[in-house]
């Protein structure tokens, strides 16, 4: 099963993708997480990506496309995967289609998590991410058991650099310009599914499971 998660920054793509990955036993491939790991490890790719990410801009297509295509050739992706944050532009979607067509495969579901812009800024300012394992929380909607300590690994929680309100505005306008057209792209292919992302995260997950077949 090959799934793409679509949605604005902060719509809950990562939150849902983690739960889907666990339920269906497929890997969660997040380009944002891969890029942040590269920044943390001080790689050349990380240094290049950081200059864009800190401004809320997209990293150039050529830096992310090969990264993802190499990733889904790894053994754990044999039974499928869930892509979170990729594709994010029409050229990325076309590159993904070409790579899959070359091996006689295609994407099964593109799930769009719908959340209006008004809700997004509130969500981002309350999000906290674990520096060690990348687990995400929300200070109101999904708090940790002990304040500022990751439930999964005991790591420290931080506010992501790009979650400051002014950067969130940039990410939203980049989303509307460059990523939102993918909704129509996948609609035309007949694989688009829409879910309401404003309800409780468990209810969003239930709606997705219904689409995927439990
Ligand atoms: P990326 O890491 O992908 O960020 P994003 O798309 O902006 O999305 P987020 O991770 O911010 O949000 P999310 O939808 O995963 O929401 P979450 O589940 O955390 O990318 C970051 C940057 O990397 C980009 O700006 C770009 O520069 C670069 N990049 C990455 N991929 C790229 C690509 N393909 N091409 C080019 N550049 C790329 O939830 C948000 C918060 O809300 C959390 O606190 C959560 O607990 C809470 N929440 C979730 N669901 C609910 C709910 N139902 N109710 C209440 N709260 C909820
Ligand atoms: Mg995310």
């Amino acid at each position: 099963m090959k799934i793409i998660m679509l949605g604005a920054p902060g719509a809950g793509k990562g939150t849902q993708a983690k739960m889907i990955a666990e339920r269906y036993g497929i890997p969660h491939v997040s380009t944002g997480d891969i890029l942040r790991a590269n920044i943390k490890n001080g790689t050349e790719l990380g240094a290049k990506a950081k200059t864009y990410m800190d401004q809320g801009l997209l990293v150039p297509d050529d830096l992310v496309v090969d990264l993802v295509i190499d990733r889904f050739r790894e053994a754990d992706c044999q039974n499928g995967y869930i892509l979170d944050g990729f594709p994010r532009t029409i050229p990325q979607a076309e590159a993904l289609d070409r790579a899959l067509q070359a091996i006689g495969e295609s994407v099964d579901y593109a799930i769009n998590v719908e959340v209006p812009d008004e809700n997004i800024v509130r969500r981002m300012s309350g999000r906290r991410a674990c520096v060690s394992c990348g687990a995400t929380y929300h200070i109101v909607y999904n708090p940790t058991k002990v304040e500022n300590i990751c439930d999964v690994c005991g790591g420290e929680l931080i506010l992501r650099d790009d979650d400051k309100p002014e950067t969130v505005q940039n990410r939203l306008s980049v989303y509307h310009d460059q990523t939102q057209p993918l909704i129509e792209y996948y609609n035309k292919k007949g694989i688009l599914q829409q879910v309401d992302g404003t309800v409780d995260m468990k209810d969003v997950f239930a709606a997705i499971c219904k689409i995927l077949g439990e």
Side-chain angles (χ1 to χ4, degrees), residues 102-177:
I103 50 172
E105 294 183 358
S106 60
V107 174
D108 299 300
Y109 299 95
I111 300 174
N112 184 39
V113 184
E114 288 182 285
V115 177
D117 287 10
E118 311 77 273
N119 298 24
I120 297 287
V121 178
R122 193 168 52 239
R123 278 200 190 176
M124 305 301 236
S125 56
R127 173 165 57 185
R128 295 293 179 272
C130 173
V131 281
S132 306
C133 75
T136 34
Y137 302 93
H138 191 282
I139 51 175
V140 179
Y141 307 124
N142 182 23
T144 47
K145 294 191 182 83
V146 181
E147 201 179 324
N148 260 335
I149 302 290
C150 177
D151 288 349
V152 179
C153 76
E156 184 202 347
L157 302 187
I158 51 152
L159 178 71
R160 253 168 58 178
D161 282 345
D162 59 348
D163 278 350
K164 297 181 184 95
E166 58 281 15
T167 316
V168 171
Q169 288 301 343
N170 281 346
R171 286 164 61 198
L172 274 173
S173 71
V174 165
Y175 166 75
H176 290 301
D177 268 13

